[in-house]
């Protein structure tokens, strides 16, 4: 694969969530006319390595076994989708390897499977990749989804990085000929906050419609029974089955300590019934850096 080309990078462990994530890449890869790269990471000194090393005798046999499984999966995907697939085996801490390979391969996006658990935080690997990747990360739960993207949900607040999120939503909507639903959650009774959110909703809607994309905007009030804004957003997704993707920022304000992923972003990533595109706000986050080349 040419180093100058873009690809979609998929973290794979052969579990159902990562296999579902692969399924979600097909249309996007076709629309962007780029290849898929499946990445399997062998963790040093982890339990699975010891288990498989005992089963296969040594690390070389383990790697050969993984190569065979990856090759079989590659052939299956290419046969079903017609998309060129590359496979890579890395060694080390999964988040480090994923982030390094994403930069080496000029990944336009990273896809990762995630499970829905009762835990209050997302998995360590997903957490670290989502908060530090230079390209968007799409997390997918182990369920089936609509084939394509009809409507993109775009929650907006009053932070400065809103423009990057809007830019990505527009580009994805263009690719899929999708609609965009903008929502803002009002958590207070402050009239000034309400006014500012309504102004931003109107400006964002007008900007998106100038791009010839159908768009609606809605201000939703958080009820006393809602624990936080994430709960309001998750309920909204469940009430609108036409939504196929949600776009969020994983660090809502500059200066947020980047060792921790915002708790409400974690809740959305862990519990959303649709794929979640997470974007870390920085200069590389604009789609022109990735899709315009």
């Amino acid at each position: 694969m040419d180093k100058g080309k873009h690809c979609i990078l998929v973290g794979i462990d052969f579990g159902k969530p990562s296999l579902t994530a692969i399924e979600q890449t097909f249309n996007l890869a076709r629309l962007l006319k780029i290849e898929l790269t499946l990445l399997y990471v062998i963790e040093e000194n982890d339990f699975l390595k010891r288990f498989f090393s005992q089963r296969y005798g040594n690390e070389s046999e383990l790697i050969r076994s993984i190569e065979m499984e990856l090759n079989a999966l590659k052939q299956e995907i290419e046969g079903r989708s017609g998309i060129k697939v590359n496979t890579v085996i890395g060694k080390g801490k999964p988040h480090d390897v994923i982030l390094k390979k994403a930069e080496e391969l000029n990944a336009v996006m990273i896809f990762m499977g995630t499970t829905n658990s009762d835990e209050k935080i997302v998995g360590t690997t997903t957490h670290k990749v989502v908060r530090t990747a230079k390209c968007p990360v799409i997390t997918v739960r182990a369920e089936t989804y609509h084939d394509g993207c009809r409507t993109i949900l775009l929650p907006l607040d009053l932070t400065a990085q809103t423009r990057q999120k809007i830019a990505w939503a527009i580009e994805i909507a263009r690719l899929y000929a999708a609609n965009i639903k903008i929502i803002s959650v009002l958590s207070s009774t402050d009239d000034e906050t309400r006014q500012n959110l309504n102004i931003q909703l109107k400006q964002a809607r007008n900007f998106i419609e100038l791009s010839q994309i159908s768009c609606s905007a809605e201000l939703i009030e958080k009820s006393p029974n809602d624990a936080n804004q994430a709960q309001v957003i998750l309920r909204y997704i469940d009430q609108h089955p036409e939504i196929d993707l949600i776009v969020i920022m994983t660090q809502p304000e500059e200066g947020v300590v980047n060792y921790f992923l915002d708790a409400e972003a974690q809740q959305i990533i862990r519990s959303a019934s649709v794929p979640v595109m997470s974007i870390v706000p920085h200069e590389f986050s604009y789609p022109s850096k990735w899709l315009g080349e």
Side-chain angles (χ1 to χ4, degrees), residues 94-160:
H95 63 275
D96 287 337
V97 177
I98 291 170
L99 292 168
K100 181 179 179 181
K101 289 298 180 183
E103 289 203 51
E104 288 179 357
L105 300 172
N106 287 332
V108 64
M109 290 180 194
I110 300 170
F111 275 70
M112 301 180 68
T114 185
T115 57
N116 181 27
S117 68
D118 293 330
E119 297 178 1
K120 294 183 178 180
I121 59 173
V122 296
T124 302
T125 298
T126 303
H127 173 278
K128 291 181 178 179
V129 172
V130 163
R131 71 173 172 80
T132 53
K134 291 183 178 179
C135 63
V137 179
I138 295 185
T139 47
V140 180
R141 281 173 48 192
E143 297 180 5
T144 58
Y145 298 97
H146 175 75
D147 184 20
C149 185
R150 296 163 295 181
T151 301
I152 299 167
L153 181 63
L154 189 62
L156 296 185
D157 52 27
L158 295 174
T159 54

Side-chain angles (χ1 to χ4, degrees), residues 148-261:
C149 185
R150 296 163 295 181
T151 301
I152 299 167
L153 181 63
L154 189 62
L156 296 185
D157 52 27
L158 295 174
T159 54
Q161 291 82 15
T162 290
R163 185 174 297 179
Q164 292 183 22
K165 186 160 56 174
I166 292 174
W168 272 106
I170 287 173
E171 291 304 319
I172 299 300
R174 281 174 174 160
L175 285 170
Y176 284 99
N179 304 317
I180 295 177
K181 282 184 179 291
I182 312 172
I183 62 170
S184 288
V185 180
L186 181 64
S187 300
S188 71
T189 57
D190 179 60
D191 288 339
E192 183 178 357
T193 300
R194 179 188 294 272
Q195 182 179 6
N196 289 338
L197 285 171
N198 276 320
I199 290 172
Q200 180 173 261
L201 283 170
K202 183 178 180 180
Q203 290 175 340
R205 179 177 179 176
N206 290 341
F207 182 76
I208 291 169
E209 288 180 339
L210 284 174
S211 299
Q212 306 301 310
I213 293 168
S214 177
C215 180
S216 63
E218 184 176 355
L219 182 64
I220 303 172
E221 295 192 17
K222 175 178 170 290
S223 76
N225 295 326
D226 293 319
N228 51 35
Q229 293 191 25
Q231 188 172 337
V232 179
I233 293 169
L234 291 169
R235 183 171 62 248
Y236 188 90
I237 293 172
D238 291 339
Q239 292 172 345
H240 294 79
E242 73 277 12
I243 294 172
D244 294 314
L245 178 71
I246 176 173
V247 180
I248 66 171
M249 285 291 189
T250 55
Q251 293 179 356
E253 296 180 3
E254 292 183 2
V256 172
V257 178
N258 66 3
Y259 290 105
F260 299 96
L261 185 63

